[in-house]
Amino acid sequence: MGSILMAEGSRPETVSVISQAILWGALLAIVLVMGFFVIHQIRHWVKGEETADPFQKLLTDSREAYLRGDLDENEFQQIKAQLTWHIQQSVSSPLTSPSKK
């Protein structure tokens, strides 16, 4: 049982707790941003509006949240990487699969 319990001032446990908190914080930020995206898309769908590039708008909103301090740099970089990938896919898709009928 002594191997399970750690000494009171042990650093590995503290580092583990901090890294888990950062991970959960980043995950929460990503989920929130994606939630805002879904809500935004539903509102436009209900109104019958067409959005030109929703990922670009979401990237702009995320950048504004980062500049306001709502997201830290790590969270913003993770979101930016995901959205940049989606933007590149949406740009390249029409060029690679033209519909000729």
Side-chain angles (χ1 to χ4, degrees), residues 61-81:
D61 292 345
S62 299
R63 183 175 290 116
E64 290 172 0
Y66 168 68
L67 293 174
R68 281 193 313 265
D70 295 340
L71 298 173
D72 67 25
E73 185 175 355
N74 187 32
E75 294 168 332
F76 174 67
Q77 292 300 327
Q78 290 176 348
I79 293 167
K80 180 180 172 185

Side-chain angles (χ1 to χ4, degrees), residues 33 37 40 53-68 70-71 76 79-80 83-84 87:
V33 169
F37 173 73
H40 177 74
D53 192 357
F55 292 111
Q56 185 66 40
K57 170 83 169 101
L58 190 55
L59 181 58
T60 301
D61 292 345
S62 299
R63 183 175 290 116
E64 290 172 0
Y66 168 68
L67 293 174
R68 281 193 313 265
D70 295 340
L71 298 173
F76 174 67
I79 293 167
K80 180 180 172 185
L83 293 176
T84 301
I87 291 168

Side-chain angles (χ1 to χ4, degrees), residues 14-89:
T14 304
V15 171
S16 176
V17 169
I18 291 171
S19 64
Q20 284 182 353
I22 291 170
L23 177 66
W24 282 108
L27 182 62
L28 178 63
I30 290 170
V31 168
L32 287 174
V33 169
M34 295 308 283
F36 286 126
F37 173 73
V38 169
I39 290 170
H40 177 74
Q41 290 302 309
I42 290 173
R43 285 182 179 172
H44 282 285
W45 178 70
V46 168
K47 291 180 181 179
E49 298 175 359
E50 197 66 36
T51 56
D53 192 357
F55 292 111
Q56 185 66 40
K57 170 83 169 101
L58 190 55
L59 181 58
T60 301
D61 292 345
S62 299
R63 183 175 290 116
E64 290 172 0
Y66 168 68
L67 293 174
R68 281 193 313 265
D70 295 340
L71 298 173
D72 67 25
E73 185 175 355
N74 187 32
E75 294 168 332
F76 174 67
Q77 292 300 327
Q78 290 176 348
I79 293 167
K80 180 180 172 185
Q82 288 288 323
L83 293 176
T84 301
W85 182 84
H86 284 288
I87 291 168
Q88 290 172 347
Q89 294 300 312

